[in-house]
Amino acid sequence: IALMVILEPDLMIADEPTSALDVSVRAQVLEIMDDLVRRRGMGLMLISHDLNMVSHWCDRILVMFNGEIVEECAAGKLNEAKHPYTQGLVASLPRLNETRERLPVLDRAALEKLA
């Protein structure tokens, strides 16, 4: 991140920047990135599989399936997703206030037919 920021880019692209970090360090890194983006007025493209993190730190979410953008929404509206792939991703997120024996599994064969 430091090497990327020293060049003062207009856009920072962060591909899974916190995937190997524990929760406390991840929050610190994201706060540093957010501060840098705000202070320097740069854009940030955060690429991640962590929908909860993306929903918290981003303004807008683009969901990709098979290399294509299938959904675009405001971060706070991810639960209102229209595309079956996005709906499946959101449904599979574990929630602290509910007990499930199994998390839903995406039907990839059905999704491939949509592509």
Side-chain angles (χ1 to χ4, degrees):
I1 294 171
L3 290 173
M4 193 173 13
V5 173
I6 202 164
L7 298 173
E8 298 184 10
D10 292 330
L11 174 67
M12 182 181 350
I13 300 173
D15 189 355
E16 297 286 359
T18 61
S19 62
L21 303 176
D22 67 49
V23 175
S24 60
V25 175
R26 176 176 47 188
Q28 290 173 344
V29 168
L30 289 166
E31 286 174 14
I32 290 168
M33 288 173 59
D34 188 52
D35 181 58
L36 286 168
V37 166
R38 289 181 194 281
R39 279 192 298 116
R40 296 190 178 201
M42 71 175 85
L44 172 64
M45 181 185 298
L46 182 60
I47 302 168
S48 180
H49 290 87
D50 186 338
L51 290 179
N52 286 325
M53 179 188 70
V54 170
S55 292
H56 178 77
W57 291 97
C58 297
D59 299 319
R60 187 171 58 125
I61 297 175
L62 301 175
V63 178
M64 295 183 74
F65 178 70
N66 281 345
E68 300 284 330
I69 295 171
V70 296
E71 184 108 42
E72 178 181 352
C73 64
K77 303 223 181 227
L78 191 57
N79 289 330
E80 299 173 19
K82 303 287 187 246
H83 193 275
Y85 179 67
T86 310
Q87 290 171 343
L89 292 175
V90 171
S92 70
L93 292 171
R95 291 171 178 74
L96 293 175
N97 62 347
E98 85 180 345
T99 303
R100 298 189 237 180
E101 291 195 25
R102 285 182 59 104
L103 291 175
V105 178
L106 293 170
D107 181 354
R108 292 202 172 268
L111 290 170
E112 291 291 338
K113 293 177 183 175
L114 295 173

